[in-house]
Amino acid sequence: MSDTTQVYRVWIKATPERIWAAITDPEWNSRYAYQSPGYYELHKGGSFRQAATAEMKEFGKAGGFEVPDTIVDGEVLEADPPRRLVQTWRMLMDPTTAAEPFTTLTYEIEEAKMQPGVYKLTVTHELTGAPATAAMVAGTEDSGAGGGWAWILSDLKTLVETGKNLVE
């Protein structure tokens, strides 16, 4: 894994439509990982935004900083449901990451050749010129952000397969 491109894969026993919904539907994407809803306009040029939760805002206040209402934003570059989503992505929670350029995030859902009914979800995050964002999404110890993409995808898989997230 480099600082400029990070690739994560997880195999999920579910339909591609269910995996797609877990990524793009706020009813689903607010139930795993950092549990903040993400809203997509699923067409080229459409907007993406991820909203702060009340818990995030309280955490920030206790730490002496303000968490904005929108914690991640971007633009949809390509949407091919339920197989491929490409978007720009910028973390706004932290002034350092907010000052960095937009990065590019690609989700690809493909049938796993090894087992019928299992699909491979690959997330590729291109992070050129965004070292603070790269550290944060990698879930490195010094980022203070938790588990990054590895945590998010593990929790997504658990939720889609079991109906419960990792902390339930």
Side-chain angles (χ1 to χ4, degrees), residues 40-117:
Y40 286 90
E41 293 177 337
L42 289 170
H43 58 82
K44 185 175 180 162
S47 69
F48 165 73
R49 70 178 179 83
Q50 195 166 348
T53 64
E55 294 80 10
M56 289 175 180
K57 289 189 163 282
E58 288 174 24
F59 177 79
K61 188 175 182 181
F65 62 94
E66 185 178 335
V67 173
D69 292 336
T70 298
I71 57 170
V72 181
D73 70 350
E75 177 183 334
V76 173
L77 302 175
E78 179 183 340
D80 182 17
R83 303 289 182 198
R84 183 175 165 86
L85 174 63
V86 183
Q87 66 179 93
T88 62
W89 197 93
R90 176 180 58 174
M91 172 69 71
L92 300 170
M93 281 183 71
D94 176 272
T96 304
T97 59
E100 291 182 335
F102 281 93
T103 60
T104 303
L105 183 62
T106 302
Y107 296 90
E108 294 178 294
I109 302 167
E110 305 170 89
E111 187 170 14
K113 297 185 184 357
M114 64 185 175
Q115 183 70 40

Side-chain angles (χ1 to χ4, degrees), residues 4 7 18 22 27 33 38 47 73 93 111 125 152 156 168:
T4 57
V7 180
R18 190 166 167 104
E27 294 291 322
S47 69
D73 70 350
M93 281 183 71
E111 187 170 14
H125 202 156
I152 292 167
L156 180 153
E168 290 180 305

